Amino acid sequence: MQDISAGISAAINQDVNHIKQFSTRQLKALAMQADLISAGILAGDINEDLQSFFLSSLNDMVLNLAKTLQGLIIVSIEKVCNIIMAVLTSAISTVTGINFSEL
Amino acid sequence: MKADNFRAIKIFTLPLFLLMALLTGCATQMAPRYDEALYKGITQSNIEIMTLFASLSSGTEKNTFVTREARYNTLIGTVEALAIQSRARPMPESAITEQVNIYLKNRNIGPLQHNEAPSTNALHQIAKQLVKMKEVDKKSGLKAALVPIFKNAVVISLDQAITYESFLNR
Protein backbone atom coordinates (compact mmCIF):
# COMPACT_ATOMS: atom_id res chain seq x y z
CA MET A 1 0.00 0.00 0.00
CA GLN A 2 2.85 2.37 0.89
CA ASP A 3 4.58 1.48 -2.40
CA ILE A 4 1.44 2.37 -4.33
CA SER A 5 1.01 5.70 -2.51
CA ALA A 6 4.66 6.64 -2.93
CA GLY A 7 4.65 5.76 -6.64
CA ILE A 8 1.44 7.66 -7.30
CA SER A 9 2.59 10.72 -5.33
CA ALA A 10 5.86 10.92 -7.25
CA ALA A 11 4.20 10.61 -10.65
CA ILE A 12 1.24 12.86 -9.88
CA ASN A 13 3.24 15.67 -8.23
CA GLN A 14 5.47 16.00 -11.28
CA ASP A 15 2.54 15.86 -13.72
CA VAL A 16 0.46 18.36 -11.75
CA ASN A 17 3.41 20.72 -11.77
CA HIS A 18 3.82 20.41 -15.55
CA ILE A 19 0.10 20.86 -16.19
CA LYS A 20 0.00 23.91 -13.91
CA GLN A 21 2.94 25.54 -15.70
CA PHE A 22 1.46 24.74 -19.10
CA SER A 23 -1.95 26.22 -18.30
CA THR A 24 -0.37 29.37 -16.81
CA ARG A 25 1.71 29.86 -19.99
CA GLN A 26 -1.29 29.28 -22.21
CA LEU A 27 -3.60 31.63 -20.30
CA LYS A 28 -0.99 34.41 -20.41
CA ALA A 29 -0.45 33.88 -24.16
CA LEU A 30 -4.22 33.82 -24.86
CA ALA A 31 -4.71 37.04 -22.88
CA MET A 32 -1.83 38.59 -24.82
CA GLN A 33 -3.43 37.46 -28.10
CA ALA A 34 -6.71 39.15 -27.14
CA ASP A 35 -4.78 42.35 -26.32
CA LEU A 36 -2.86 42.25 -29.60
CA ILE A 37 -6.07 41.76 -31.62
CA SER A 38 -7.84 44.61 -29.79
CA ALA A 39 -4.88 46.94 -30.32
CA GLY A 40 -4.71 45.97 -34.02
CA ILE A 41 -8.42 46.66 -34.54
CA LEU A 42 -8.23 50.01 -32.76
CA ALA A 43 -5.17 51.06 -34.77
CA GLY A 44 -6.86 50.07 -38.05
CA ASP A 45 -4.19 47.43 -38.85
CA ILE A 46 -6.75 44.61 -38.90
CA ASN A 47 -9.46 44.64 -41.57
CA GLU A 48 -12.82 42.87 -41.24
CA ASP A 49 -11.61 39.65 -42.87
CA LEU A 50 -8.57 39.39 -40.59
CA GLN A 51 -10.63 40.35 -37.56
CA SER A 52 -12.98 37.44 -38.18
CA PHE A 53 -10.03 35.09 -38.83
CA PHE A 54 -8.16 36.05 -35.64
CA LEU A 55 -11.26 35.83 -33.44
CA SER A 56 -12.27 32.46 -34.84
CA SER A 57 -8.67 31.22 -34.37
CA LEU A 58 -8.66 32.46 -30.78
CA ASN A 59 -11.83 30.46 -30.16
CA ASP A 60 -10.24 27.32 -31.68
CA MET A 61 -7.11 27.79 -29.58
CA VAL A 62 -9.12 28.03 -26.35
CA LEU A 63 -11.06 24.87 -27.28
CA ASN A 64 -7.85 23.05 -28.07
CA LEU A 65 -6.33 24.17 -24.77
CA ALA A 66 -9.23 22.41 -23.03
CA LYS A 67 -8.68 19.29 -25.16
CA THR A 68 -4.93 19.36 -24.47
CA LEU A 69 -5.50 19.62 -20.71
CA GLN A 70 -7.91 16.70 -20.96
CA GLY A 71 -5.29 14.73 -22.91
CA LEU A 72 -2.62 15.46 -20.28
CA ILE A 73 -4.95 14.33 -17.49
CA ILE A 74 -5.68 11.08 -19.35
CA VAL A 75 -1.93 10.36 -19.55
CA SER A 76 -1.67 10.96 -15.79
CA ILE A 77 -4.60 8.62 -15.06
CA GLU A 78 -2.91 6.00 -17.23
CA LYS A 79 0.31 6.36 -15.22
CA VAL A 80 -1.58 5.89 -11.94
CA CYS A 81 -3.34 2.74 -13.26
CA ASN A 82 -0.05 1.28 -14.37
CA ILE A 83 1.72 2.07 -11.10
CA ILE A 84 -1.03 0.28 -9.17
CA MET A 85 -0.91 -2.72 -11.52
CA ALA A 86 2.90 -2.90 -11.37
CA VAL A 87 2.94 -2.92 -7.56
CA LEU A 88 0.15 -5.53 -7.40
CA THR A 89 1.84 -7.70 -10.04
CA SER A 90 5.09 -7.60 -8.13
CA ALA A 91 3.32 -8.44 -4.84
CA ILE A 92 1.50 -11.42 -6.39
CA SER A 93 4.72 -12.60 -8.05
CA THR A 94 6.54 -12.50 -4.73
CA VAL A 95 3.85 -14.53 -2.97
CA THR A 96 3.09 -17.05 -5.72
CA GLY A 97 6.49 -17.22 -7.41
CA ILE A 98 4.80 -16.73 -10.78
CA ASN A 99 6.76 -14.47 -13.13
CA PHE A 100 4.05 -12.62 -15.04
CA SER A 101 6.47 -11.03 -17.47
CA GLU A 102 7.22 -14.49 -18.83
CA LEU A 103 3.54 -15.37 -19.41
CA MET B 1 -25.40 -21.49 3.46
CA LYS B 2 -26.24 -18.58 1.18
CA ALA B 3 -24.22 -16.22 3.40
CA ASP B 4 -21.23 -18.55 3.18
CA ASN B 5 -21.46 -18.64 -0.61
CA PHE B 6 -21.65 -14.87 -0.71
CA ARG B 7 -18.57 -14.57 1.54
CA ALA B 8 -16.68 -17.02 -0.65
CA ILE B 9 -17.57 -15.07 -3.78
CA LYS B 10 -16.41 -11.88 -2.08
CA ILE B 11 -13.10 -13.47 -1.05
CA PHE B 12 -12.31 -14.85 -4.49
CA THR B 13 -13.64 -12.04 -6.69
CA LEU B 14 -10.81 -9.55 -6.15
CA PRO B 15 -7.92 -12.00 -6.62
CA LEU B 16 -9.68 -13.46 -9.65
CA PHE B 17 -10.17 -10.01 -11.10
CA LEU B 18 -6.54 -9.11 -10.45
CA LEU B 19 -5.32 -12.35 -11.99
CA MET B 20 -7.45 -11.77 -15.06
CA ALA B 21 -6.17 -8.23 -15.33
CA LEU B 22 -2.61 -9.49 -15.11
CA LEU B 23 -3.14 -12.22 -17.67
CA THR B 24 -4.96 -9.95 -20.10
CA GLY B 25 -2.15 -7.38 -20.11
CA CYS B 26 -0.89 -5.44 -17.15
CA ALA B 27 -0.18 -2.10 -18.79
CA THR B 28 -3.20 0.03 -19.53
CA GLN B 29 -2.90 2.38 -22.50
CA MET B 30 -5.35 5.28 -22.52
CA ALA B 31 -3.49 7.73 -24.76
CA PRO B 32 -1.65 7.30 -28.08
CA ARG B 33 1.90 6.02 -28.11
CA TYR B 34 4.84 8.44 -28.08
CA ASP B 35 6.24 9.07 -31.55
CA GLU B 36 9.81 10.30 -31.33
CA ALA B 37 10.02 11.23 -35.01
CA LEU B 38 6.85 13.32 -34.68
CA TYR B 39 8.15 15.08 -31.58
CA LYS B 40 11.46 15.85 -33.26
CA GLY B 41 9.61 17.05 -36.37
CA ILE B 42 7.53 19.48 -34.31
CA THR B 43 10.52 20.87 -32.40
CA GLN B 44 12.50 21.27 -35.65
CA SER B 45 9.56 23.09 -37.26
CA ASN B 46 9.39 25.30 -34.18
CA ILE B 47 12.92 26.53 -34.89
CA GLU B 48 12.22 27.11 -38.60
CA ILE B 49 8.93 28.94 -37.98
CA MET B 50 10.47 31.18 -35.31
CA THR B 51 13.33 31.96 -37.71
CA LEU B 52 10.75 33.01 -40.32
CA PHE B 53 9.01 35.27 -37.80
CA ALA B 54 12.34 36.83 -36.82
CA SER B 55 12.99 37.71 -40.48
CA LEU B 56 9.51 39.30 -40.81
CA SER B 57 9.50 41.31 -37.60
CA SER B 58 9.52 44.69 -39.31
CA GLY B 59 6.78 43.77 -41.77
CA THR B 60 6.97 43.01 -45.51
CA GLU B 61 6.20 44.55 -48.91
CA LYS B 62 4.07 42.58 -51.34
CA ASN B 63 6.58 43.10 -54.18
CA THR B 64 9.15 40.97 -52.34
CA PHE B 65 6.69 38.14 -51.64
CA VAL B 66 8.26 35.85 -54.27
CA THR B 67 11.43 35.68 -52.19
CA ARG B 68 9.44 34.22 -49.27
CA GLU B 69 6.90 32.07 -51.09
CA ALA B 70 8.98 28.87 -51.17
CA ARG B 71 9.74 29.20 -47.45
CA TYR B 72 6.04 29.56 -46.63
CA ASN B 73 5.23 26.52 -48.78
CA THR B 74 7.89 24.36 -47.16
CA LEU B 75 6.74 25.24 -43.65
CA ILE B 76 3.03 24.79 -44.42
CA GLY B 77 3.75 21.43 -46.09
CA THR B 78 5.90 20.25 -43.19
CA VAL B 79 3.34 21.20 -40.54
CA GLU B 80 0.47 19.59 -42.49
CA ALA B 81 2.55 16.42 -42.86
CA LEU B 82 3.18 16.38 -39.09
CA ALA B 83 -0.57 16.75 -38.48
CA ILE B 84 -1.20 13.70 -40.68
CA GLN B 85 1.51 11.78 -38.81
CA SER B 86 -0.11 12.71 -35.50
CA ARG B 87 -3.58 11.70 -36.68
CA ALA B 88 -2.37 8.40 -38.16
CA ARG B 89 -1.60 6.95 -34.72
CA PRO B 90 -4.31 4.66 -33.42
CA MET B 91 -6.19 6.04 -30.42
CA PRO B 92 -6.35 3.26 -27.84
CA GLU B 93 -9.68 2.14 -26.48
CA SER B 94 -9.49 1.40 -22.80
CA ALA B 95 -12.05 -0.13 -20.47
CA ILE B 96 -11.07 2.43 -17.84
CA THR B 97 -11.68 5.37 -20.20
CA GLU B 98 -15.01 3.81 -21.12
CA GLN B 99 -16.02 3.58 -17.46
CA VAL B 100 -14.95 7.18 -16.79
CA ASN B 101 -16.96 8.32 -19.83
CA ILE B 102 -20.08 6.49 -18.64
CA TYR B 103 -19.66 8.19 -15.26
CA LEU B 104 -19.26 11.61 -16.94
CA LYS B 105 -22.20 11.01 -19.29
CA ASN B 106 -24.47 10.21 -16.34
CA ARG B 107 -23.55 13.62 -14.97
CA ASN B 108 -24.10 15.40 -18.32
CA ILE B 109 -20.38 15.99 -18.86
CA GLY B 110 -18.73 15.40 -22.23
CA PRO B 111 -16.51 12.33 -22.82
CA LEU B 112 -12.85 12.31 -21.77
CA GLN B 113 -11.36 11.24 -25.04
CA HIS B 114 -11.93 12.29 -28.61
CA ASN B 115 -10.93 10.57 -31.80
CA GLU B 116 -7.93 12.80 -32.34
CA ALA B 117 -4.88 13.69 -30.30
CA PRO B 118 -4.97 17.41 -29.34
CA SER B 119 -1.61 17.86 -31.09
CA THR B 120 -3.31 17.12 -34.43
CA ASN B 121 -5.69 20.08 -33.96
CA ALA B 122 -2.82 22.27 -32.77
CA LEU B 123 -0.74 21.45 -35.86
CA HIS B 124 -3.71 22.21 -38.14
CA GLN B 125 -4.09 25.54 -36.38
CA ILE B 126 -0.41 26.38 -37.02
CA ALA B 127 -0.78 25.56 -40.72
CA LYS B 128 -3.94 27.69 -40.86
CA GLN B 129 -2.06 30.70 -39.43
CA LEU B 130 0.81 30.27 -41.91
CA VAL B 131 -1.59 29.94 -44.87
CA LYS B 132 -3.41 33.14 -43.86
CA MET B 133 -0.13 34.94 -43.29
CA LYS B 134 1.09 33.91 -46.74
CA GLU B 135 -2.19 35.08 -48.29
CA VAL B 136 -1.98 38.52 -46.63
CA ASP B 137 1.73 38.82 -47.46
CA LYS B 138 1.03 38.04 -51.13
CA LYS B 139 -1.98 40.36 -51.37
CA SER B 140 -0.78 43.46 -49.55
CA GLY B 141 2.41 42.73 -47.63
CA LEU B 142 2.43 42.22 -43.87
CA LYS B 143 2.07 45.27 -41.64
CA ALA B 144 4.58 45.11 -38.77
CA ALA B 145 1.70 45.12 -36.27
CA LEU B 146 0.27 41.89 -37.75
CA VAL B 147 3.45 39.82 -37.33
CA PRO B 148 3.27 39.48 -33.50
CA ILE B 149 -0.41 38.47 -33.75
CA PHE B 150 0.36 35.63 -36.17
CA LYS B 151 3.46 34.73 -34.17
CA ASN B 152 1.67 34.54 -30.81
CA ALA B 153 -1.10 32.42 -32.36
CA VAL B 154 1.52 29.98 -33.68
CA VAL B 155 3.36 29.98 -30.32
CA ILE B 156 0.12 29.04 -28.47
CA SER B 157 -0.55 26.09 -30.79
CA LEU B 158 3.09 24.96 -30.86
CA ASP B 159 3.13 24.94 -27.06
CA GLN B 160 -0.02 22.76 -27.06
CA ALA B 161 1.47 20.31 -29.56
CA ILE B 162 4.93 20.11 -27.95
CA THR B 163 3.60 19.81 -24.39
CA TYR B 164 1.15 17.04 -25.30
CA GLU B 165 3.65 15.06 -27.39
CA SER B 166 6.38 15.29 -24.74
CA PHE B 167 3.84 14.16 -22.11
CA LEU B 168 3.24 11.01 -24.13
CA ASN B 169 6.86 10.01 -23.50
CA ARG B 170 5.96 8.14 -20.31
Side-chain angles (χ1 to χ4, degrees):
Chain A
M1 197 62 185
Q2 275 179 337
D3 288 350
I4 294 177
S5 300
I8 291 174
S9 296
I12 289 295
N13 285 344
Q14 200 185 18
D15 283 0
V16 167
N17 227 0
H18 284 157
I19 294 172
K20 220 165 119 184
Q21 287 170 2
F22 168 70
S23 41
T24 306
R25 270 199 321 269
Q26 285 277 301
L27 291 174
K28 276 185 188 167
L30 285 164
M32 182 177 155
Q33 187 70 355
D35 282 348
L36 287 168
I37 296 170
S38 309
I41 293 169
L42 288 174
D45 292 322
I46 296 177
N47 61 24
E48 231 171 83
D49 170 54
L50 269 178
Q51 184 179 325
S52 145
F53 173 79
F54 284 137
L55 292 176
S56 143
S57 299
L58 190 61
N59 187 45
D60 290 344
M61 283 182 258
V62 172
L63 278 177
N64 208 48
L65 166 61
K67 284 180 186 173
T68 309
L69 288 171
Q70 209 182 51
L72 299 179
I73 291 165
I74 287 172
V75 177
S76 288
I77 294 173
E78 183 197 288
K79 282 183 192 169
V80 170
C81 287
N82 289 329
I83 288 166
I84 295 171
M85 283 312 291
V87 173
L88 293 177
T89 311
S90 144
I92 294 171
S93 287
T94 311
V95 174
T96 61
I98 301 171
N99 188 352
F100 290 100
S101 60
E102 286 176 1
L103 290 177
Chain B
M1 187 65 185
K2 271 187 178 174
D4 285 347
N5 285 346
F6 182 67
R7 202 174 303 129
I9 290 168
K10 267 178 79 178
I11 290 167
F12 288 109
T13 302
L14 182 65
L16 200 66
F17 170 76
L18 290 174
L19 190 63
M20 281 180 65
L22 292 167
L23 295 176
T24 52
C26 304
T28 293
Q29 199 192 339
M30 297 168 69
R33 64 175 171 76
Y34 172 65
D35 181 337
E36 198 184 346
L38 173 63
Y39 181 73
K40 279 186 180 166
I42 298 172
T43 47
Q44 184 56 39
S45 297
N46 178 22
I47 297 169
E48 285 157 18
I49 294 170
M50 289 308 125
T51 311
L52 172 73
F53 278 115
S55 69
L56 304 178
S57 59
S58 32
T60 63
E61 298 291 333
K62 69 174 179 180
N63 54 7
T64 56
F65 171 75
V66 281
T67 62
R68 294 179 294 277
E69 188 172 18
R71 208 162 164 202
Y72 276 121
N73 292 342
T74 307
L75 288 174
I76 294 164
T78 306
V79 175
E80 288 286 13
L82 291 169
I84 293 169
Q85 203 175 325
S86 166
R87 190 196 289 143
R89 277 173 307 181
M91 293 293 282
E93 283 180 23
S94 141
I96 294 167
T97 315
E98 220 171 273
Q99 290 305 313
V100 172
N101 283 343
I102 291 168
Y103 176 86
L104 293 173
K105 196 183 170 191
N106 290 338
R107 279 149 190 82
N108 294 323
I109 304 170
L112 253 190
Q113 207 157 345
H114 296 275
N115 298 329
E116 272 183 358
S119 49
T120 309
N121 290 330
L123 290 163
H124 278 310
Q125 186 57 237
I126 296 164
K128 212 170 121 185
Q129 296 297 325
L130 293 174
V131 168
K132 190 70 182 175
M133 204 165 101
K134 176 187 157 188
E135 183 193 305
V136 175
D137 194 355
K138 185 179 183 178
K139 198 173 165 191
S140 53
L142 283 168
K143 290 180 188 171
L146 292 180
V147 179
I149 306 179
F150 281 114
K151 183 182 172 183
N152 194 46
V154 168
V155 167
I156 291 168
S157 298
L158 268 170
D159 189 14
Q160 292 174 353
I162 291 173
T163 303
Y164 182 72
E165 288 302 326
S166 68
F167 224 70
L168 291 181
N169 189 9
R170 65 265 198 204

